[in-house]
Amino acid sequence: MRVIALLMAAGSGSRFGAERPKQYLTLAGRPILRHAAEALLTDGGVNALLPVVAGPAEGQEAEAVLAGLPCLRAVQGGATRQASVRAGLEALASAPPDVVLVHDAARPFLPAGTVPALLRALEEFPGAIPAQPVSDTLKAGAEGRILRTVPRAGLFRAQTPQAFRFAPLLDAHRAAREEATDDAALLEAAGLPVALLPGSESNLKVTYPEDLARAEASLLPRLLPAMGTGFDVHRLVEGRPLILCGVTIPHPLGLDGHSDADVGLHALCDAIYGALAEGDIGRHFPPSDMQWKDADSTAFLRHAAGRVTARGGILTHVDLTLICERPKIAPHAEAMRARVAELLGIPVGRVSVKATTTERLGFTGRGEGIAAQAAATLLLPA
Ligand SMILES: Nc1ccn([C@@H]2O[C@H](COP(=O)(O)OP(=O)(O)OP(=O)(O)O)[C@@H](O)[C@H]2O)c(=O)n1
Ligand SMILES: C[C@](O)(CO)[C@H](O)COP(=O)(O)O
């Protein structure tokens, strides 16, 4: 039996209101879309995913986000969810699978056993969906007033993935005259039975910003705090620019080193690699390797942050102290914080950059070099 899952990712997330569609926002360091895809695939029974996206640029982005997973070429969706599902089904019509699952890319968590239970139900029914019984009292209302109470007995909230034998779902979409908010509704309209299986509160759909906060909170018990420190020193010399935390500072001397010698970013990298227990910057970017000669150290910090993401972690806070008499760091500290926050992809409120002197003592006191020490805290899957 060939089973393809449509991963519905063509929505704009207007109710969420972010700059980008919510399915590309990160949850524990990975896009929501990636969570949804992995959850579907690890549940068993799905042969491949078909991402349905808003346009060609999103297609490339989705394919990058889903790299390494069994995926067909992304298909362009439509103006409504129904139009997007139809586009996905039509793309499969020339070599139809036996079964198609339709899943919201905005649902990052899938309780184990959902897909096998749906597939079992398809032995008897042409369609099957997970749904939660309504537990709150339901009111019909308008203009801020209750019109009446709606009996909730026998009412359910439909979730995804919804599973269908391919042919009846395609027929139902082709015959549809009304807009439906899920696919089961189209089978119902065609007079076909759809099985109702138990859903789960954990299978939440990220619709509003508070849903993302809820999703993050539900992950916390599965994450462990990790902490790392970093320390670095570079010599001050003539004839080199002074680059600290990715910001070029006007100064008669610059830092010497194999790369651009950005001592602040190097200490931050080591703090992050340390929290990951993944060695140090020299292990990832050996000073013996000529490709890193005069390299821009922002690439090193992006790499370190990327490792956190790859491990399914969250970079929570970083704190950096630059140690030198001159230049004075305070006038540049805000620009440095902003640059580091941008490179790490975290809010600036979680980035600290400060400085101290050594009271004219030692090599930093004599102005021979600049030292930096950093700490980073992460949350990593237990
Ligand atoms: N034209 C559309 C609209 C929605 N979806 C997808 O269907 C799922 C459920 O829809 P919803 O949560 O409503 O997402 P959006 O349409 O993006 O949100 P909004 O209605 O707030 O704009 C999402 O994964 C969304 O990307 C889609 O593929 N094509
Ligand atoms: C398909 C769905 O997720 C089932 O609950 C839901 O109907 C999608 O509705 P939306 O308005 O497109 O979020």
Side-chain angles (χ1 to χ4, degrees), residues 91-136:
L92 294 172
S94 57
D98 303 290
V99 165
V100 66
L101 264 57
V102 185
H103 190 41
D104 297 332
R107 292 186 190 265
F109 309 129
L110 191 59
T114 304
V115 175
L118 289 166
L119 296 180
R120 275 195 303 276
L122 291 193
E123 291 165 13
E124 194 180 334
F125 292 86
I129 72 163
Q132 276 291 84
V134 171
S135 56
D136 295 320

mmCIF file of all heavy atoms in Angstrom, residues 91-136:
data_model
loop_
_atom_site.group_PDB
_atom_site.id
_atom_site.type_symbol
_atom_site.label_atom_id
_atom_site.label_comp_id
_atom_site.label_asym_id
_atom_site.label_seq_id
_atom_site.Cartn_x
_atom_site.Cartn_y
_atom_site.Cartn_z
ATOM 1 N N ALA A 91 -1.671 16.897 -8.298
ATOM 2 C CA ALA A 91 -0.273 16.599 -8.626
ATOM 3 C C ALA A 91 0.019 15.104 -8.493
ATOM 4 O O ALA A 91 0.959 14.597 -9.104
ATOM 5 C CB ALA A 91 0.663 17.393 -7.702
ATOM 6 N N LEU A 92 -0.773 14.411 -7.691
ATOM 7 C CA LEU A 92 -0.556 12.968 -7.500
ATOM 8 C C LEU A 92 -1.401 12.132 -8.452
ATOM 9 O O LEU A 92 -1.221 10.915 -8.537
ATOM 10 C CB LEU A 92 -0.919 12.579 -6.062
ATOM 11 C CG LEU A 92 -0.055 13.153 -4.940
ATOM 12 C CD1 LEU A 92 -0.667 12.824 -3.587
ATOM 13 C CD2 LEU A 92 1.365 12.588 -5.030
ATOM 14 N N ALA A 93 -2.353 12.772 -9.146
ATOM 15 C CA ALA A 93 -3.396 12.021 -9.859
ATOM 16 C C ALA A 93 -2.847 11.132 -10.975
ATOM 17 O O ALA A 93 -3.424 10.082 -11.270
ATOM 18 C CB ALA A 93 -4.439 12.985 -10.415
ATOM 19 N N SER A 94 -1.728 11.507 -11.594
ATOM 20 C CA SER A 94 -1.242 10.693 -12.714
ATOM 21 C C SER A 94 -0.602 9.384 -12.237
ATOM 22 O O SER A 94 -0.526 8.422 -12.995
ATOM 23 C CB SER A 94 -0.254 11.503 -13.564
ATOM 24 O OG SER A 94 0.791 11.939 -12.734
ATOM 25 N N ALA A 95 -0.111 9.362 -11.002
ATOM 26 C CA ALA A 95 0.425 8.112 -10.425
ATOM 27 C C ALA A 95 -0.145 8.008 -9.013
ATOM 28 O O ALA A 95 0.576 8.200 -8.036
ATOM 29 C CB ALA A 95 1.950 8.148 -10.410
ATOM 30 N N PRO A 96 -1.446 7.717 -8.904
ATOM 31 C CA PRO A 96 -2.128 7.865 -7.608
ATOM 32 C C PRO A 96 -1.635 6.880 -6.552
ATOM 33 O O PRO A 96 -1.444 5.702 -6.845
ATOM 34 C CB PRO A 96 -3.595 7.596 -7.937
ATOM 35 C CG PRO A 96 -3.602 6.912 -9.246
ATOM 36 C CD PRO A 96 -2.351 7.261 -9.966
ATOM 37 N N PRO A 97 -1.439 7.374 -5.330
ATOM 38 C CA PRO A 97 -1.157 6.464 -4.211
ATOM 39 C C PRO A 97 -2.459 5.775 -3.803
ATOM 40 O O PRO A 97 -3.534 6.177 -4.238
ATOM 41 C CB PRO A 97 -0.674 7.417 -3.109
ATOM 42 C CG PRO A 97 -1.370 8.699 -3.411
ATOM 43 C CD PRO A 97 -1.541 8.763 -4.901
ATOM 44 N N ASP A 98 -2.366 4.747 -2.956
ATOM 45 C CA ASP A 98 -3.586 4.096 -2.468
ATOM 46 C C ASP A 98 -4.268 4.989 -1.432
ATOM 47 O O ASP A 98 -5.492 5.097 -1.395
ATOM 48 C CB ASP A 98 -3.230 2.752 -1.809
ATOM 49 C CG ASP A 98 -2.488 1.875 -2.776
ATOM 50 O OD1 ASP A 98 -3.119 1.417 -3.734
ATOM 51 O OD2 ASP A 98 -1.254 1.705 -2.611
ATOM 52 N N VAL A 99 -3.423 5.611 -0.613
ATOM 53 C CA VAL A 99 -3.947 6.388 0.511
ATOM 54 C C VAL A 99 -3.252 7.729 0.555
ATOM 55 O O VAL A 99 -2.052 7.834 0.258
ATOM 56 C CB VAL A 99 -3.694 5.626 1.837
ATOM 57 C CG1 VAL A 99 -3.885 6.515 3.051
ATOM 58 C CG2 VAL A 99 -4.610 4.407 1.924
ATOM 59 N N VAL A 100 -4.011 8.755 0.913
ATOM 60 C CA VAL A 100 -3.409 10.067 1.096
ATOM 61 C C VAL A 100 -3.773 10.570 2.497
ATOM 62 O O VAL A 100 -4.901 10.395 2.956
ATOM 63 C CB VAL A 100 -3.837 11.043 -0.030
ATOM 64 C CG1 VAL A 100 -5.308 11.348 0.035
ATOM 65 C CG2 VAL A 100 -3.047 12.314 -0.004
ATOM 66 N N LEU A 101 -2.752 11.138 3.162
ATOM 67 C CA LEU A 101 -2.993 11.807 4.444
ATOM 68 C C LEU A 101 -2.912 13.296 4.187
ATOM 69 O O LEU A 101 -2.065 13.743 3.390
ATOM 70 C CB LEU A 101 -1.905 11.436 5.455
ATOM 71 C CG LEU A 101 -2.205 10.301 6.439
ATOM 72 C CD1 LEU A 101 -2.569 9.033 5.694
ATOM 73 C CD2 LEU A 101 -1.017 10.059 7.346
ATOM 74 N N VAL A 102 -3.766 14.080 4.818
ATOM 75 C CA VAL A 102 -3.686 15.542 4.686
ATOM 76 C C VAL A 102 -3.389 16.091 6.071
ATOM 77 O O VAL A 102 -4.169 15.872 7.014
ATOM 78 C CB VAL A 102 -5.005 16.137 4.145
ATOM 79 C CG1 VAL A 102 -4.825 17.640 3.905
ATOM 80 C CG2 VAL A 102 -5.419 15.435 2.857
ATOM 81 N N HIS A 103 -2.241 16.775 6.197
ATOM 82 C CA HIS A 103 -1.811 17.210 7.533
ATOM 83 C C HIS A 103 -1.411 18.682 7.496
ATOM 84 O O HIS A 103 -0.737 19.124 6.570
ATOM 85 C CB HIS A 103 -0.616 16.362 7.982
ATOM 86 C CG HIS A 103 -0.244 16.562 9.431
ATOM 87 N ND1 HIS A 103 -1.178 16.677 10.436
ATOM 88 C CD2 HIS A 103 0.963 16.675 10.038
ATOM 89 C CE1 HIS A 103 -0.562 16.841 11.598
ATOM 90 N NE2 HIS A 103 0.744 16.860 11.386
ATOM 91 N N ASP A 104 -1.804 19.426 8.542
ATOM 92 C CA ASP A 104 -1.416 20.836 8.662
ATOM 93 C C ASP A 104 0.058 20.934 9.059
ATOM 94 O O ASP A 104 0.463 20.363 10.086
ATOM 95 C CB ASP A 104 -2.231 21.513 9.776
ATOM 96 C CG ASP A 104 -3.720 21.548 9.481
ATOM 97 O OD1 ASP A 104 -4.087 21.556 8.289
ATOM 98 O OD2 ASP A 104 -4.500 21.574 10.455
ATOM 99 N N ALA A 105 0.828 21.703 8.286
ATOM 100 C CA ALA A 105 2.234 21.934 8.664
ATOM 101 C C ALA A 105 2.318 22.711 9.965
ATOM 102 O O ALA A 105 3.370 22.782 10.592
ATOM 103 C CB ALA A 105 2.943 22.700 7.548
ATOM 104 N N ALA A 106 1.186 23.303 10.370
ATOM 105 C CA ALA A 106 1.166 24.115 11.592
ATOM 106 C C ALA A 106 0.901 23.261 12.836
ATOM 107 O O ALA A 106 0.701 23.810 13.917
ATOM 108 C CB ALA A 106 0.100 25.198 11.457
ATOM 109 N N ARG A 107 0.887 21.930 12.692
ATOM 110 C CA ARG A 107 0.698 21.054 13.869
ATOM 111 C C ARG A 107 2.008 20.329 14.138
ATOM 112 O O ARG A 107 2.298 19.306 13.506
ATOM 113 C CB ARG A 107 -0.420 20.038 13.610
ATOM 114 C CG ARG A 107 -1.804 20.664 13.516
ATOM 115 C CD ARG A 107 -2.874 19.576 13.410
ATOM 116 N NE ARG A 107 -4.164 20.152 13.080
ATOM 117 C CZ ARG A 107 -5.098 20.473 13.991
ATOM 118 N NH1 ARG A 107 -4.877 20.266 15.272
ATOM 119 N NH2 ARG A 107 -6.252 20.995 13.601
ATOM 120 N N PRO A 108 2.808 20.837 15.090
ATOM 121 C CA PRO A 108 4.147 20.271 15.275
ATOM 122 C C PRO A 108 4.185 18.931 15.999
ATOM 123 O O PRO A 108 5.158 18.191 15.857
ATOM 124 C CB PRO A 108 4.875 21.337 16.110
ATOM 125 C CG PRO A 108 3.790 22.108 16.801
ATOM 126 C CD PRO A 108 2.592 22.043 15.906
ATOM 127 N N PHE A 109 3.150 18.599 16.768
ATOM 128 C CA PHE A 109 3.209 17.375 17.585
ATOM 129 C C PHE A 109 2.127 16.398 17.155
ATOM 130 O O PHE A 109 0.972 16.786 17.006
ATOM 131 C CB PHE A 109 2.987 17.688 19.066
ATOM 132 C CG PHE A 109 3.855 18.784 19.602
ATOM 133 C CD1 PHE A 109 3.295 19.844 20.302
ATOM 134 C CD2 PHE A 109 5.223 18.761 19.408
ATOM 135 C CE1 PHE A 109 4.088 20.855 20.809
ATOM 136 C CE2 PHE A 109 6.024 19.766 19.906
ATOM 137 C CZ PHE A 109 5.457 20.828 20.604
ATOM 138 N N LEU A 110 2.520 15.143 17.025
ATOM 139 C CA LEU A 110 1.545 14.117 16.673
ATOM 140 C C LEU A 110 1.683 12.988 17.684
ATOM 141 O O LEU A 110 2.756 12.382 17.784
ATOM 142 C CB LEU A 110 1.859 13.611 15.264
ATOM 143 C CG LEU A 110 0.827 12.735 14.620
ATOM 144 C CD1 LEU A 110 -0.490 13.451 14.509
ATOM 145 C CD2 LEU A 110 1.312 12.315 13.247
ATOM 146 N N PRO A 111 0.621 12.703 18.452
ATOM 147 C CA PRO A 111 0.743 11.600 19.420
ATOM 148 C C PRO A 111 1.065 10.288 18.708
ATOM 149 O O PRO A 111 0.497 9.998 17.643
ATOM 150 C CB PRO A 111 -0.639 11.544 20.068
ATOM 151 C CG PRO A 111 -1.272 12.860 19.753
ATOM 152 C CD PRO A 111 -0.695 13.337 18.469
ATOM 153 N N ALA A 112 1.982 9.513 19.269
ATOM 154 C CA ALA A 112 2.397 8.247 18.655
ATOM 155 C C ALA A 112 1.181 7.358 18.449
ATOM 156 O O ALA A 112 0.278 7.305 19.283
ATOM 157 C CB ALA A 112 3.422 7.554 19.549
ATOM 158 N N GLY A 113 1.167 6.693 17.318
ATOM 159 C CA GLY A 113 0.095 5.732 17.033
ATOM 160 C C GLY A 113 -1.048 6.330 16.231
ATOM 161 O O GLY A 113 -1.942 5.593 15.804
ATOM 162 N N THR A 114 -1.015 7.654 15.990
ATOM 163 C CA THR A 114 -2.119 8.292 15.249
ATOM 164 C C THR A 114 -2.216 7.755 13.818
ATOM 165 O O THR A 114 -3.299 7.350 13.364
ATOM 166 C CB THR A 114 -1.930 9.829 15.207
ATOM 167 O OG1 THR A 114 -1.816 10.312 16.545
ATOM 168 C CG2 THR A 114 -3.077 10.510 14.514
ATOM 169 N N VAL A 115 -1.083 7.744 13.097
ATOM 170 C CA VAL A 115 -1.132 7.334 11.683
ATOM 171 C C VAL A 115 -1.510 5.853 11.565
ATOM 172 O O VAL A 115 -2.430 5.513 10.796
ATOM 173 C CB VAL A 115 0.204 7.652 10.962
ATOM 174 C CG1 VAL A 115 0.181 7.114 9.537
ATOM 175 C CG2 VAL A 115 0.453 9.160 10.963
ATOM 176 N N PRO A 116 -0.873 4.948 12.338
ATOM 177 C CA PRO A 116 -1.304 3.536 12.213
ATOM 178 C C PRO A 116 -2.786 3.354 12.499
ATOM 179 O O PRO A 116 -3.468 2.571 11.800
ATOM 180 C CB PRO A 116 -0.442 2.819 13.264
ATOM 181 C CG PRO A 116 0.787 3.672 13.384
ATOM 182 C CD PRO A 116 0.322 5.084 13.180
ATOM 183 N N ALA A 117 -3.332 4.075 13.478
ATOM 184 C CA ALA A 117 -4.767 3.918 13.788
ATOM 185 C C ALA A 117 -5.621 4.404 12.619
ATOM 186 O O ALA A 117 -6.637 3.778 12.266
ATOM 187 C CB ALA A 117 -5.103 4.699 15.059
ATOM 188 N N LEU A 118 -5.220 5.513 11.988
ATOM 189 C CA LEU A 118 -5.974 6.024 10.840
ATOM 190 C C LEU A 118 -5.930 5.016 9.690
ATOM 191 O O LEU A 118 -6.951 4.753 9.029
ATOM 192 C CB LEU A 118 -5.381 7.366 10.370
ATOM 193 C CG LEU A 118 -5.604 8.568 11.304
ATOM 194 C CD1 LEU A 118 -4.703 9.736 10.910
ATOM 195 C CD2 LEU A 118 -7.080 8.998 11.260
ATOM 196 N N LEU A 119 -4.747 4.450 9.448
ATOM 197 C CA LEU A 119 -4.612 3.511 8.322
ATOM 198 C C LEU A 119 -5.450 2.252 8.563
ATOM 199 O O LEU A 119 -6.069 1.721 7.629
ATOM 200 C CB LEU A 119 -3.130 3.159 8.090
ATOM 201 C CG LEU A 119 -2.240 4.346 7.655
ATOM 202 C CD1 LEU A 119 -0.794 3.887 7.446
ATOM 203 C CD2 LEU A 119 -2.768 4.996 6.376
ATOM 204 N N ARG A 120 -5.502 1.827 9.828
ATOM 205 C CA ARG A 120 -6.349 0.654 10.135
ATOM 206 C C ARG A 120 -7.822 0.973 9.848
ATOM 207 O O ARG A 120 -8.559 0.166 9.289
ATOM 208 C CB ARG A 120 -6.185 0.252 11.601
ATOM 209 C CG ARG A 120 -4.980 -0.666 11.860
ATOM 210 C CD ARG A 120 -5.064 -1.330 13.225
ATOM 211 N NE ARG A 120 -5.175 -0.380 14.325
ATOM 212 C CZ ARG A 120 -4.143 0.235 14.906
ATOM 213 N NH1 ARG A 120 -2.911 -0.008 14.473
ATOM 214 N NH2 ARG A 120 -4.320 1.088 15.891
ATOM 215 N N ALA A 121 -8.238 2.188 10.211
ATOM 216 C CA ALA A 121 -9.645 2.568 10.007
ATOM 217 C C ALA A 121 -10.007 2.584 8.522
ATOM 218 O O ALA A 121 -11.172 2.355 8.155
ATOM 219 C CB ALA A 121 -9.908 3.930 10.640
ATOM 220 N N LEU A 122 -9.016 2.862 7.656
ATOM 221 C CA LEU A 122 -9.304 2.915 6.208
ATOM 222 C C LEU A 122 -9.614 1.538 5.626
ATOM 223 O O LEU A 122 -10.076 1.437 4.488
ATOM 224 C CB LEU A 122 -8.133 3.550 5.448
ATOM 225 C CG LEU A 122 -7.894 5.033 5.666
ATOM 226 C CD1 LEU A 122 -6.927 5.574 4.624
ATOM 227 C CD2 LEU A 122 -9.202 5.819 5.604
ATOM 228 N N GLU A 123 -9.351 0.456 6.399
ATOM 229 C CA GLU A 123 -9.739 -0.877 5.904
ATOM 230 C C GLU A 123 -11.261 -0.960 5.829
ATOM 231 O O GLU A 123 -11.820 -1.700 5.045
ATOM 232 C CB GLU A 123 -9.173 -1.966 6.834
ATOM 233 C CG GLU A 123 -7.655 -2.061 6.736
ATOM 234 C CD GLU A 123 -7.025 -2.861 7.872
ATOM 235 O OE1 GLU A 123 -7.760 -3.552 8.601
ATOM 236 O OE2 GLU A 123 -5.796 -2.763 8.032
ATOM 237 N N GLU A 124 -11.933 -0.178 6.660
ATOM 238 C CA GLU A 124 -13.393 -0.229 6.703
ATOM 239 C C GLU A 124 -14.050 1.023 6.102
ATOM 240 O O GLU A 124 -15.128 0.962 5.516
ATOM 241 C CB GLU A 124 -13.823 -0.361 8.165
ATOM 242 C CG GLU A 124 -15.255 -0.763 8.365
ATOM 243 C CD GLU A 124 -15.603 -0.863 9.853
ATOM 244 O OE1 GLU A 124 -14.671 -1.106 10.666
ATOM 245 O OE2 GLU A 124 -16.776 -0.666 10.192
ATOM 246 N N PHE A 125 -13.386 2.188 6.288
ATOM 247 C CA PHE A 125 -13.997 3.471 5.883
ATOM 248 C C PHE A 125 -13.153 4.111 4.769
ATOM 249 O O PHE A 125 -11.939 3.946 4.742
ATOM 250 C CB PHE A 125 -13.995 4.455 7.062
ATOM 251 C CG PHE A 125 -14.909 4.063 8.194
ATOM 252 C CD1 PHE A 125 -14.469 3.194 9.199
ATOM 253 C CD2 PHE A 125 -16.197 4.575 8.268
ATOM 254 C CE1 PHE A 125 -15.307 2.848 10.239
ATOM 255 C CE2 PHE A 125 -17.036 4.230 9.315
ATOM 256 C CZ PHE A 125 -16.601 3.362 10.308
ATOM 257 N N PRO A 126 -13.785 4.915 3.898
ATOM 258 C CA PRO A 126 -12.979 5.646 2.896
ATOM 259 C C PRO A 126 -12.201 6.813 3.502
ATOM 260 O O PRO A 126 -11.255 7.319 2.900
ATOM 261 C CB PRO A 126 -14.021 6.152 1.897
ATOM 262 C CG PRO A 126 -15.324 6.091 2.603
ATOM 263 C CD PRO A 126 -15.232 5.044 3.671
ATOM 264 N N GLY A 127 -12.596 7.251 4.695
ATOM 265 C CA GLY A 127 -11.890 8.370 5.349
ATOM 266 C C GLY A 127 -11.886 8.186 6.849
ATOM 267 O O GLY A 127 -12.777 7.518 7.403
ATOM 268 N N ALA A 128 -10.887 8.764 7.522
ATOM 269 C CA ALA A 128 -10.824 8.674 8.986
ATOM 270 C C ALA A 128 -10.081 9.894 9.502
ATOM 271 O O ALA A 128 -9.107 10.360 8.874
ATOM 272 C CB ALA A 128 -10.086 7.402 9.409
ATOM 273 N N ILE A 129 -10.546 10.422 10.636
ATOM 274 C CA ILE A 129 -9.885 11.609 11.201
ATOM 275 C C ILE A 129 -9.769 11.467 12.728
ATOM 276 O O ILE A 129 -10.595 10.810 13.361
ATOM 277 C CB ILE A 129 -10.647 12.921 10.878
ATOM 278 C CG1 ILE A 129 -11.954 13.013 11.686
ATOM 279 C CG2 ILE A 129 -10.942 13.042 9.403
ATOM 280 C CD1 ILE A 129 -12.532 14.426 11.735
ATOM 281 N N PRO A 130 -8.742 12.135 13.310
ATOM 282 C CA PRO A 130 -8.706 12.233 14.766
ATOM 283 C C PRO A 130 -9.512 13.458 15.195
ATOM 284 O O PRO A 130 -9.487 14.492 14.524
ATOM 285 C CB PRO A 130 -7.216 12.448 15.062
ATOM 286 C CG PRO A 130 -6.635 13.034 13.813
ATOM 287 C CD PRO A 130 -7.564 12.741 12.669
ATOM 288 N N ALA A 131 -10.234 13.339 16.301
ATOM 289 C CA ALA A 131 -11.047 14.478 16.767
ATOM 290 C C ALA A 131 -11.195 14.405 18.274
ATOM 291 O O ALA A 131 -11.204 13.325 18.859
ATOM 292 C CB ALA A 131 -12.413 14.442 16.090
ATOM 293 N N GLN A 132 -11.309 15.565 18.885
ATOM 294 C CA GLN A 132 -11.455 15.681 20.332
ATOM 295 C C GLN A 132 -12.886 16.061 20.667
ATOM 296 O O GLN A 132 -13.418 17.021 20.087
ATOM 297 C CB GLN A 132 -10.551 16.809 20.849
ATOM 298 C CG GLN A 132 -9.111 16.437 21.106
ATOM 299 C CD GLN A 132 -8.983 15.509 22.280
ATOM 300 O OE1 GLN A 132 -9.149 14.303 22.121
ATOM 301 N NE2 GLN A 132 -8.703 16.040 23.458
ATOM 302 N N PRO A 133 -13.515 15.375 21.640
ATOM 303 C CA PRO A 133 -14.862 15.800 22.043
ATOM 304 C C PRO A 133 -14.799 17.224 22.592
ATOM 305 O O PRO A 133 -13.830 17.588 23.251
ATOM 306 C CB PRO A 133 -15.231 14.829 23.166
ATOM 307 C CG PRO A 133 -14.191 13.755 23.166
ATOM 308 C CD PRO A 133 -13.000 14.257 22.418
ATOM 309 N N VAL A 134 -15.824 18.019 22.295
ATOM 310 C CA VAL A 134 -15.873 19.388 22.826
ATOM 311 C C VAL A 134 -16.123 19.303 24.329
ATOM 312 O O VAL A 134 -17.032 18.601 24.778
ATOM 313 C CB VAL A 134 -17.016 20.180 22.136
ATOM 314 C CG1 VAL A 134 -17.246 21.524 22.823
ATOM 315 C CG2 VAL A 134 -16.688 20.374 20.669
ATOM 316 N N SER A 135 -15.306 20.016 25.124
ATOM 317 C CA SER A 135 -15.449 19.904 26.584
ATOM 318 C C SER A 135 -15.940 21.213 27.214
ATOM 319 O O SER A 135 -16.345 21.215 28.370
ATOM 320 C CB SER A 135 -14.126 19.481 27.206
ATOM 321 O OG SER A 135 -13.122 20.388 26.845
ATOM 322 N N ASP A 136 -15.889 22.319 26.500
ATOM 323 C CA ASP A 136 -16.433 23.571 27.031
ATOM 324 C C ASP A 136 -17.906 23.702 26.605
ATOM 325 O O ASP A 136 -18.326 23.125 25.595
ATOM 326 C CB ASP A 136 -15.665 24.788 26.473
ATOM 327 C CG ASP A 136 -14.218 24.801 26.932
ATOM 328 O OD1 ASP A 136 -13.969 24.462 28.106
ATOM 329 O OD2 ASP A 136 -13.344 25.132 26.115
#
